[in-house]
């Protein structure tokens, strides 16, 4: 079983506009709502790929209920802790025909201690063969003790931890020996105060994450591809697929979902890397998170990784 946790989910309201003029009234014919958040995106793609998973997290108010309803509508098993006070953040995204997007992202709610207790209780069902994906930003209203409690619960249950977050939250997870961490090149560079411009640089700093506790590291390098640092010592680089990028939003989340799909399918980290690149590419080549069929159509175009 794969369990995803999204601590700061969002209800995204996508509005298509021909153009934006500040200070004027804009009319649009069709807006769409979508569930958002990195762990949510991982669950959406895993579900489309036919992989059993559970989407956990913290949801508040009417917007939190709508996030869960939309997840269930798309076939996901949503098992969020519901909070009656506040509401889950609402993001408004204005999209122009040129491909430009202007985002207005809200803040998450204050999170009471009992809600964290309830989420930790749900994680008590984890088994050693399970994967726990902790992905996305930590909401400002999250108690300081919550993140360590989630990490410690995973360790005690013996599940394999996958972490896709940034900054101090990522650094705090490393002593727990995560099975996989997945920074992109900007996030990896920010951890060490450098600018990463090549796979060799990514290898150097990704290996530092391994020395700090990560078992395996995948660094997404955008259109260049992705780098995998295996716990056995190999460094594998997989070139990106050439094509027209529509939006990179959710591409990193798709890489995580594709990696887990490929790892389960082939039983190898290398297989996970190829499917991860295929999934990230499929999402980058369209608006929104790719479907499982779109990922499978991209897979033949992904070259075999080579040693770096």
């Amino acid at each position: 079983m794969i369990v995803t946790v999204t601590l700061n989910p969002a209800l995204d309201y996508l509005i298509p506009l021909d153009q934006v003029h500040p200070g004027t009234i804009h009319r649009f014919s069709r807006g769409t709502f979508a569930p958002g958040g990195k762990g949510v995106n991982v669950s959406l793609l895993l579900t489309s790929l036919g992989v059993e998973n559970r989407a956990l997290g913290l949801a508040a108010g009417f917007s939190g209920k709508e996030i869960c309803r939309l997840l269930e509508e798309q076939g996901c098993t949503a098992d969020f802790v519901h909070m009656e006070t506040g509401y889950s953040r609402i993001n408004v995204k204005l999209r122009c025909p040129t491909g430009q997007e202007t985002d207005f992202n809200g803040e998450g709610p204050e999170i009471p201690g009992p809600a964290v207790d309830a989420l930790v209780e749900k994680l008590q069902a984890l088994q050693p063969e399970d994967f726990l994906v902790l992905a996305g930003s930590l909401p400002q209203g999250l108690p300081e003790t919550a993140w360590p409690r989630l990490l410690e619960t995973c360790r005690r249950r013996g599940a394999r931890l996958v972490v896709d977050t940034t900054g101090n939250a990522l650094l705090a997870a490393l002593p727990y020996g995560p099975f996989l961490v997945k920074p992109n090149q900007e996030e990896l560079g920010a951890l060490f105060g450098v600018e990463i411009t090549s796979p060799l640089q990514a290898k150097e700093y990704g290996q530092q994450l391994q020395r700090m506790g990560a078992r395996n590291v995948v660094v997404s390098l955008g259109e260049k591809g992705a780098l995998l640092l295996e716990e056995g010592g190999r460094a594998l680089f997989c070139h990106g697929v050439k094509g027209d990028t529509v939006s990179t939003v959710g591409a990193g989340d798709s890489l995580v979902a594709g990696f887990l799909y490929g790892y389960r399918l082939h039983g190898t980290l290398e297989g996970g890397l190829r499917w991860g690149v295929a999934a990230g590419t499929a999402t980058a080549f369209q608006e929104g998170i790719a479907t499982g069929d779109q990922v499978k159509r991209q897979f033949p175009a992904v070259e075999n990784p080579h040693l770096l």
Side-chain angles (χ1 to χ4, degrees), residues 255-274:
L255 191 156
V256 172
F259 186 96
L260 293 173
Y261 172 78
Y263 180 74
R264 287 163 57 97
L265 183 66
H266 300 286
T268 66
L269 296 167
E270 183 174 344
L273 179 62
R274 284 193 69 196

Side-chain angles (χ1 to χ4, degrees), residues 55 57-69 72 78-86 88 112 114-115 118-119 122:
L58 301 171
F62 75 95
S63 53
K65 292 178 180 178
E66 181 65 5
I67 290 168
C68 294
R69 188 192 70 80
E72 296 280 0
D79 190 15
F80 280 60
V81 174
H82 289 276
M83 300 176 291
E84 295 303 322
T85 58
S88 294
L119 181 58
K122 290 179 182 293

Side-chain angles (χ1 to χ4, degrees), residues 28-168:
F28 59 95
S29 59
R30 180 181 57 85
T32 58
F33 287 97
K38 295 180 74 66
V40 162
N41 291 338
V42 173
S43 275
L44 285 169
L45 183 49
L46 285 173
T47 298
S48 187
L49 284 165
V51 178
E52 184 181 8
N53 71 93
R54 289 170 60 220
L56 273 60
L58 301 171
F62 75 95
S63 53
K65 292 178 180 178
E66 181 65 5
I67 290 168
C68 294
R69 188 192 70 80
L70 290 170
L71 281 170
E72 296 280 0
E73 187 176 80
Q74 297 188 52
C76 295
T77 300
D79 190 15
F80 280 60
V81 174
H82 289 276
M83 300 176 291
E84 295 303 322
T85 58
Y87 53 86
S88 294
R89 61 192 175 121
I90 300 174
N91 298 336
V92 178
K93 300 177 180 292
L94 307 181
R95 289 182 176 172
C96 295
T98 59
Q100 290 181 315
E101 183 173 285
T102 301
D103 294 349
F104 300 86
N105 290 348
E107 289 187 356
E110 289 292 325
I111 298 169
V116 178
D117 296 340
L119 181 58
V120 170
E121 182 61 31
K122 290 179 182 293
L123 296 182
Q124 298 299 331
L126 288 169
Q127 300 296 321
E129 66 272 13
D130 294 338
F131 288 95
L132 175 63
V133 181
L134 298 179
S137 62
L138 304 186
Q140 292 185 357
L142 188 72
E144 291 185 3
T145 57
W147 186 243
R149 287 183 66 191
L150 297 178
L151 296 167
E152 182 61 29
T153 301
C154 182
R155 175 161 64 183
R156 289 182 178 180
R157 300 304 303 167
R160 289 168 287 186
L161 177 64
V162 177
V163 178
D164 184 12
T165 188
T166 61
N168 290 333

Side-chain angles (χ1 to χ4, degrees), residues 2-15:
I2 297 175
V3 177
T4 69
V5 172
T6 309
L7 296 172
N8 202 17
L11 182 62
D12 292 341
Y13 189 31
L14 313 176
I15 300 175

